[in-house]
Structure formats: C-alpha cells, structure tokens
Amino acid sequence: MSEQAMDETTRPRHGSSRWLLSILVLGAFAVLCSLGTWQVSRLYWKEALIDSVETRIHAPPQALPAVAEWPSLKADDIQYRRVAFDAVYDHSKEIHVFIALGSPKGAIGGQGYFVVTPATLADGKVILVNRGFVPLERKDPATRPEGQVTGVQHIVGLMRPPEVASWLSPANDTVKNVWFTRNPAEMAAADGIDPSAVAPFTVDAEAGEAPGGLPQGGETIVSFPNSHLQYAVTWFGLAAALVAVYVAYLLRGHGSRSREPGSKAD
C-alpha cells in the first residue's frame, strides 16, 4: 500500500479521535467551571452566615421561644440566638461533654468537659444549659462545690441546635457520663428526664462570676472554616490549565502534520 493510500486510510480515524477528545475536554471543562461556580456561591453563603452569626451573638438577649414553637424550630433559626431566662439548676443530673478547648476565652483550657445542667423553668419545662468548661480533674462536682449555685438563676446565653454525630464521633458513654455530641432528647432520656419536657435545643451560658471560677462560662466555639475562595480558584485554575494543555496539544499536532513529507509546507 502506498504512503498516500495509508495517509488517506488513517486521516479519518485521527479526525474522529480528535473530535472525541474535544468532547471529553469540553465536558471536563464544564464540570470544573461548574464546581468553581458552586464554590463561589458557597463563599457568598458562608460570608452571609458569618455576618448573621456575628450580629446574633452581639444582639440584646431575647426571651426563649414559646413552647408552642419548639416543634417547628429549625437549626438556622436558633443557631447562636442570644436569649435570657430564669431557671433553677438541678446539679444532681449534671452531664459532661468531652472537649479539647484549644483556644479558651477564660483562664483554663486543654482537655476537659462542658458541664451541661438541666435548668427548670417556672412552668416545669427544662432547658439543658452548658454552664461552661471544667478540666479533666474537676469533672466530679464534689471538687467544685462553690460553683453549684442554688435558687433561681438569671441565665444569659446562646442557643444551639441538637448536634448530629458523624461517623468519626465516638459513642457517648452514658455509664461513665462522658458525652461527645449534644442531643437534648438523648441526654434527657439518659438523665431520667421526660424528653417531652426538655427543649429541643441547648443554651451555652455566657461568662459569669461562677463561685470558685468553675464552670468557666462563655466558651462557645464560634468557628466557620471558609476556604471556598481557595477551592474556587483551584477549580477555575484547573479549567484554565486544561484549556492550555489542550491548545498546546492541538498546536503540536498541527505542527507535526505540517512537517510530514509531501505536505504543502514542504
């Protein structure tokens, strides 16, 4: 078979391959751009969320939501909402949530527990209140009797929705009273409290003058990792790199054909 015949035989195949490659590149480019666009939208959403939370945590405290509203409360409606109410603590049912407090606002940090204590309202309803942080060696309430305040307390704090355990979260140990996720219904059941009487949210108490300094209030962790801009730049950068590589491939292929024996360039 002559070289001319071979060239005529292979040319359509090369052309089909180029069209298929172009379609694949175009599809990959569209996917990369859509991912970048999605990250930009997430960036705007995250910035709006951060602004909203900053406004909420510094707003004047409001009354607790009415009991009739509890079943319809949504996480976004109550997250970090600042509230104030009067209640009586039941220290006999104290719950301990393990936490590694790396950046404490108070004097004490490290590994320890958030002390979550049932607080009974005048109508008998119960709010689980995160009174604050205690180090590992002060888990036992007997080591901090001064902080076990009695009588009606005026509590100001931030509402938090129920936490959902991830597959990485250790299981709560109800026997040793060591928890890793805060779910009011589960905590109430483990504590012998009627779950129907417990609010479907918890409240993180603000820093106060707890006798003896413990629990150390005001340790709500407000953190919203915001790497969406970095991710968007990455996806758009990959899309641009894909185009650059493909254009270089086309130019190299065109140059190779122009140098072939018998081409017009020769």
Side-chain angles (χ1 to χ4, degrees):
M1 183 180 293
S2 66
E3 290 185 3
Q4 181 179 2
M6 290 180 63
D7 183 62
E8 291 175 352
T9 301
T10 57
R11 187 177 295 117
R13 184 179 301 171
H14 291 323
S16 299
S17 298
R18 185 173 302 152
W19 274 109
L20 177 59
L21 180 60
S22 298
I23 292 172
L24 292 176
V25 169
L26 181 61
F29 178 78
V31 170
L32 292 171
C33 287
S34 66
L35 289 171
T37 302
W38 180 72
Q39 287 295 342
V40 170
S41 67
R42 293 287 293 176
L43 172 64
Y44 289 139
W45 170 82
K46 183 63 69 66
E47 290 178 342
L49 174 64
I50 293 173
D51 290 342
S52 173
V53 169
E54 283 295 318
T55 299
R56 286 186 180 188
I57 63 178
H58 295 106
Q62 307 172 15
L64 288 169
V67 175
E69 299 176 10
W70 288 3
S72 61
L73 290 175
K74 297 180 181 179
D76 289 343
D77 297 330
I78 64 176
Q79 182 74 288
Y80 301 113
R81 175 175 165 181
R82 194 162 178 248
V83 293
F85 57 97
D86 295 330
V88 178
Y89 286 124
D90 183 354
H91 300 293
S92 67
K93 298 183 182 297
E94 195 175 88
I95 299 169
H96 306 114
V97 181
F98 179 82
I99 184 71
L101 198 59
S103 300
K105 301 178 182 67
I108 305 172
Q111 293 188 347
Y113 303 94
F114 281 147
V115 176
V116 178
T117 306
T120 305
L121 305 173
D123 61 2
K125 297 297 183 181
V126 177
I127 310 295
L128 295 181
V129 178
N130 170 17
R131 298 187 60 213
F133 176 80
V134 297
L136 293 176
E137 66 274 12
R138 305 294 290 276
K139 177 176 182 284
D140 187 348
T143 63
R144 43 185 168 80
E146 305 92 340
Q148 308 300 84
V149 292
T150 59
V152 177
Q153 304 295 316
H154 185 66
I155 302 167
V156 180
L158 301 175
M159 295 175 63
R160 304 296 304 277
E163 296 177 349
V164 178
S166 71
W167 64 278
L168 290 174
S169 302
N172 297 317
D173 190 337
T174 58
V175 175
K176 295 182 179 180
N177 193 8
V178 176
W179 294 71
F180 296 91
T181 55
R182 286 186 278 175
N183 184 293
E186 294 177 4
M187 288 178 160
D191 232 2
I193 304 173
D194 180 5
S196 65
V198 177
F201 53 83
T202 58
V203 172
D204 285 1
E206 295 183 355
E209 298 298 327
L214 294 176
Q216 180 176 280
E219 294 295 346
T220 300
I221 299 174
V222 182
S223 177
F224 295 97
N226 189 6
S227 300
H228 297 296
L229 178 59
Q230 176 184 338
Y231 295 150
V233 170
T234 298
W235 290 122
F236 286 131
L238 288 173
L242 176 64
V243 171
V245 170
Y246 185 58
V247 169
Y249 165 78
L250 292 178
L251 293 176
R252 184 178 64 180
H254 178 74
S256 298
R257 288 194 301 276
S258 66
R259 290 192 295 272
E260 291 177 357
S263 66
K264 293 182 179 180
D266 293 330

